[in-house]
Amino acid sequence: MDIDTPMGMVPLDPNMGTSRTGATILCCNCGAPIDGTSSAGALCYDCIKSTVDISQGIPREGTLHFCRDCDRWLMPPNSWVTAPPESRELLSLCLKKLRNLGKVRITDARFVWTEPHSRRVRVKITIQDSVADGVLMQQSFEVVYVVAYQQCRECAKSYTANVWRAAVQVRQKVTHKRTFLLLEQLILKHQAHRDTINIKEEKDGIDFYFAQQNQAVSFINFLKSVIPVFVKESKHLISQDSHTGNKQYKFSYSAEIVPICRDDLVALPIKLAKQIGNISPLVLCHRIGTSVNFLDPNTLQTAEVSADIYWRNPFMPLAGAPEMVEFIVMDTEPTGQRRGKWVLSEVTVARASDLGSNDTTYFARSHLGNLLHPGDSVMGFLLAGSNFNSALFDAMEESKTYGSTIPDVVLVKKHYPNRRKNKRRNWKLKRMAKDEGELLPKAADQARMDAEYENFLRDVEEDEELRAALALYKNTKKTRAQDPDAMSVAETEMTVDEDGPKISMDELLDDFDELDIQDEA
C-alpha cells in the first residue's frame, strides 16, 4: 500500500478475499453492493471515508514560542532548544506539541512551504489506525502553527542588572598591558570567551562575567593551562529559602598573573637560583607559558619557575621593556657555543645617545650572536651606574660568588630603527570586544596603549615561537586610492630600505568574517 495517498483502507490479513468468495450485501448507508464477508460495519468504502475520522481529537492548530535574541524554541515545560528552520529537531518539536497523536501510528510528516515572514509553520501529517476488525484506514491532514515571540529566561536576565553568577577577575600588577595582549590572542584562538555574558576592562586587568559557575571554572582551567596564575575563590550569599534550605550564591575568582613579562630583567633569590639548576641569579625572562622561563645571557643556561614555586616566595623584576636603552654594536665575536636558536657571542657596544659626545664602550656577552653585526642596533639594560631598589640585587652584589659576575650591559633583542611606525601589514590580529565602562582612556593613555600594541605586533613579527601560538589572519582591506600628485612623494619614501622580519602568507589564515557575496556587474 502506498502510504502517501491521502486516504485508503487495507485488510489486516493479506489472504483475505483472495481464496474465497462471499455473499454480496448492500451498504446500510447508501445501498451500494459490497462484499459482506470483508465489509466493516456493513459500510462501503466511500461511506467509511465520510463517516469515520481517525484524526478526531488531534488539534489542527498550535503555537510555537520562539526567542529572537538567541534563536531558540521553547520545549515545554521550561527548556529551550536550538532548531534550524525545517529541520528534524523543529519537526520533532511540532509533533510533540499535538495531543492524542500517540494513539495513532504516524507514517509520514513533512513541512509545507510558507512565506518566511508569515510567522506560520505548516506540517502535513499522515496517520494510520484500525477502524474495524481487519481494516486499516490512512488519513492525511495539515496542522498550522503560529510562531509567537517569547524571551527566554537567559536572555531576559541579560537585560537586567547583576545577572552574572560567576566573575573571573584577571589582574597583573604591572604598568603595561603586554601580557594581556598575549592573553587576549590566546583566548580568541581557543574561543575560551564563548560563554561570557560580558567582558569589562578594569584598571589593572579584565573582568569576565559568566551565567553559571561551571563556565567560570572552565575558564580558570584554561588560564592555568596558558599562563602562571594564582587563583582565589570567594562567594556571596544573595538569597536563601528558609523552608527548603536552598541558597543562591555569586562566585568571584581572583586570578593574579605573575608580574614578570617577556624581556624583563630579573634578580632571582640566590637560594632559588641554586635549586633550579644553579643558574646565575641575574637572568632574562625569555618566555611566559604555564611557567616562567629564564635565560642566563652569559652562559645560555635556561631554567623555569612554576607558578606554585613562584607564589611561595614572590619577587618582582628589576627592569622592564620601558627601561631599555638603545645600543650600537661596534664589534662582535662568536664563541662557538650554541643552544637552540641562540649563539653566544662577545659584543662591544656603545650607547646610541653617546655617539659623537664620548667614546665610552661596554663589553657584554650576549645570546644574540646569530643576529648582531657591527653597525646594528640592539636594545638592552644599562647596569653600570644604575641603582635598583631591590634587596635581591643588593644580596647579589654583596655575594662573593656572584658579585663579580654582574655585567655592565645586558642585551635583550635586536632593534630595527628603519622600521616605519603604523605601517600597513599583510596580516592582522583580532581583538576582543570589551566594555570599557567609565574607564575611557585619555589622549595620553590612548597613545601609550597604541605604542604598546605596536610593540606587541613587532614582537610577533620577530618571534616565530610566539607566532606559532597565535592565530594570524590575512589583511584583506584595500588601500585607499592615492592622489596622482602624491606619487612622487610615495616613490621617494619607498626608496628607503625598510628592515625588519617579514611574515609569509603561508603562515596566515583566511578571515571568514570579512567574506561577502558581491554581484557581478
Side-chain angles (χ1 to χ4, degrees):
M1 182 189 68
D2 188 6
I3 63 174
D4 292 333
T5 57
M7 193 174 296
M9 294 188 301
V10 294
L12 289 177
D13 189 359
N15 298 323
M16 182 175 296
T18 59
S19 61
R20 61 181 181 177
T21 59
T24 300
I25 63 174
L26 299 179
C27 176
C28 66
N29 190 21
C30 64
I34 57 175
D35 186 3
T37 60
S38 61
S39 62
L43 293 174
C44 65
Y45 173 75
D46 295 332
C47 292
I48 291 178
K49 290 195 299 181
S50 61
T51 58
V52 179
D53 184 11
I54 61 176
S55 64
Q56 186 177 6
I58 301 176
R60 296 298 196 273
E61 295 180 353
T63 303
L64 297 175
H65 297 279
F66 177 71
C67 180
R68 291 182 289 181
D69 294 329
C70 59
D71 294 339
R72 294 190 300 174
W73 302 83
L74 175 62
M75 175 73 75
N78 54 7
S79 61
W80 293 81
V81 295
T82 302
E86 298 190 4
S87 61
R88 291 185 177 182
E89 294 81 4
L90 183 58
L91 183 59
S92 174
L93 177 61
C94 293
L95 296 180
K96 291 179 181 179
K97 296 279 288 186
L98 297 179
R99 301 186 306 272
N100 301 325
L101 195 60
K103 298 180 181 180
V104 295
R105 177 189 176 191
I106 303 175
T107 59
D108 188 24
R110 64 186 64 183
F111 287 100
V112 180
W113 184 86
T114 55
E115 290 288 343
H117 60 275
S118 64
R119 294 173 56 187
R120 298 295 186 272
V121 177
R122 298 174 58 190
V123 180
K124 183 179 180 181
I125 305 174
T126 303
I127 60 175
Q128 283 183 355
D129 195 13
S130 176
V131 296
D133 294 338
V135 178
L136 282 177
M137 184 176 180
Q138 179 171 294
Q139 185 177 353
S140 298
F141 59 95
E142 288 187 3
V143 181
V144 179
Y145 296 90
V146 179
V147 179
Y149 295 140
Q150 178 179 340
Q151 201 173 41
C152 67
R153 187 176 181 180
E154 289 77 9
C155 295
K157 289 175 59 178
S158 64
Y159 288 98
T160 58
N162 301 323
V163 298
W164 55 272
R165 285 299 178 89
V168 179
Q169 302 172 349
V170 185
R171 297 290 185 269
Q172 187 182 30
K173 297 179 181 179
V174 292
T175 59
H176 53 78
K177 298 284 187 178
R178 296 181 60 196
T179 303
F180 283 102
L181 293 175
L182 174 61
L183 179 60
E184 177 184 13
Q185 298 303 318
L186 295 176
I187 292 175
L188 289 173
K189 180 179 180 180
H190 298 280
Q191 294 294 315
H193 66 304
R194 61 184 178 271
D195 295 328
T196 58
I197 59 176
N198 190 19
I199 302 176
K200 188 175 181 181
E201 190 169 2
E202 296 294 340
K203 181 179 179 181
D204 295 330
I206 304 176
D207 290 347
F208 298 86
Y209 297 94
F210 299 89
Q212 302 295 333
Q213 181 192 7
N214 56 352
Q215 298 172 352
V217 173
S218 299
F219 186 76
I220 288 292
N221 294 333
F222 169 78
L223 292 180
K224 292 181 179 180
S225 65
V226 293
I227 53 175
V229 294
F230 177 70
V231 181
K232 292 189 296 183
E233 177 185 357
S234 63
K235 60 182 180 180
H236 174 65
L237 179 65
I238 57 177
S239 65
Q240 180 179 0
D241 190 344
S242 60
H243 299 284
T244 62
N246 295 331
K247 300 179 181 179
Q248 299 291 336
Y249 290 95
K250 277 189 175 182
F251 298 88
S252 297
Y253 297 89
S254 174
E256 184 176 356
I257 305 176
V258 171
I260 299 176
C261 302
R262 189 169 175 264
D263 297 336
D264 282 357
L265 182 65
V266 181
L268 298 175
I270 296 179
K271 182 179 179 181
L272 177 61
K274 294 180 179 180
Q275 292 176 353
I276 60 177
N278 200 20
I279 193 173
S280 174
L282 189 65
V283 292
L284 286 175
C285 175
H286 71 90
R287 180 177 174 271
I288 294 291
T290 55
S291 58
V292 187
N293 295 265
F294 296 109
L295 166 69
D296 182 7
N298 292 322
T299 61
L300 300 185
Q301 184 180 355
T302 59
E304 65 177 21
V305 177
S306 63
D308 296 336
I309 297 178
Y310 175 83
W311 291 111
R312 292 174 191 171
N313 187 15
F315 50 88
M316 300 295 292
L318 288 179
E323 288 79 20
M324 287 187 187
V325 180
E326 182 181 357
F327 295 91
I328 303 298
V329 178
M330 298 299 179
D331 188 20
T332 177
E333 182 178 353
T335 61
Q337 184 177 352
R338 176 184 290 269
R339 186 187 183 96
K341 64 178 182 179
W342 299 311
V343 176
L344 186 62
S345 299
E346 297 179 350
V347 186
T348 302
V349 296
R351 194 161 56 175
S353 59
D354 292 342
L355 295 180
S357 59
N358 56 59
D359 298 333
T360 305
T361 58
Y362 303 95
F363 174 80
R365 294 169 66 91
S366 175
H367 60 289
L368 306 175
N370 57 334
L371 299 177
L372 299 182
H373 302 87
D376 290 346
S377 297
V378 60
M379 302 298 292
F381 297 103
L382 180 60
L383 304 184
S386 300
N387 185 17
F388 296 102
N389 186 15
S390 173
L392 299 177
F393 187 76
D394 295 341
M396 183 179 175
E397 287 182 328
E398 297 173 359
S399 174
K400 297 181 180 179
T401 305
Y402 303 106
S404 60
T405 61
I406 300 177
D408 294 335
V409 171
V410 177
L411 303 180
V412 179
K413 62 179 180 179
K414 187 176 180 180
H415 179 56
Y416 301 92
N418 293 332
R419 179 186 295 177
R420 290 184 300 170
K421 294 183 178 180
N422 300 325
K423 69 173 184 177
R424 171 174 168 79
R425 295 178 170 87
N426 62 344
W427 58 276
K428 65 179 181 179
L429 295 175
K430 291 186 176 181
R431 301 300 301 272
M432 224 169 19
K434 298 184 290 293
D435 182 13
E436 295 180 352
E438 299 178 356
L439 297 177
L440 294 177
K442 300 180 181 179
D445 295 337
Q446 185 64 40
R448 176 180 56 82
M449 293 168 59
D450 294 341
E452 291 178 356
Y453 187 67
E454 176 65 23
N455 293 331
F456 176 73
L457 296 180
R458 294 183 179 183
D459 292 340
V460 173
E461 289 178 335
E462 297 171 5
D463 194 346
E464 295 182 1
E465 294 182 359
L466 182 60
R467 290 202 301 269
L470 307 181
L472 279 66
Y473 296 90
K474 297 178 182 178
N475 192 359
T476 57
K477 292 184 179 179
K478 298 181 180 179
T479 57
R480 297 180 179 177
Q482 295 183 353
D483 187 3
D485 298 337
M487 290 300 296
S488 59
V489 180
E491 292 176 358
T492 305
E493 293 179 354
M494 292 301 294
T495 56
V496 180
D497 294 335
E498 182 182 352
D499 55 1
K502 304 293 190 302
I503 298 179
S504 64
M505 297 295 291
D506 297 336
E507 302 181 34
L508 306 180
L509 303 174
D510 292 323
D511 188 5
F512 292 99
D513 294 341
E514 294 186 356
L515 297 181
D516 53 359
I517 300 176
Q518 299 179 355
D519 296 335
E520 296 182 359

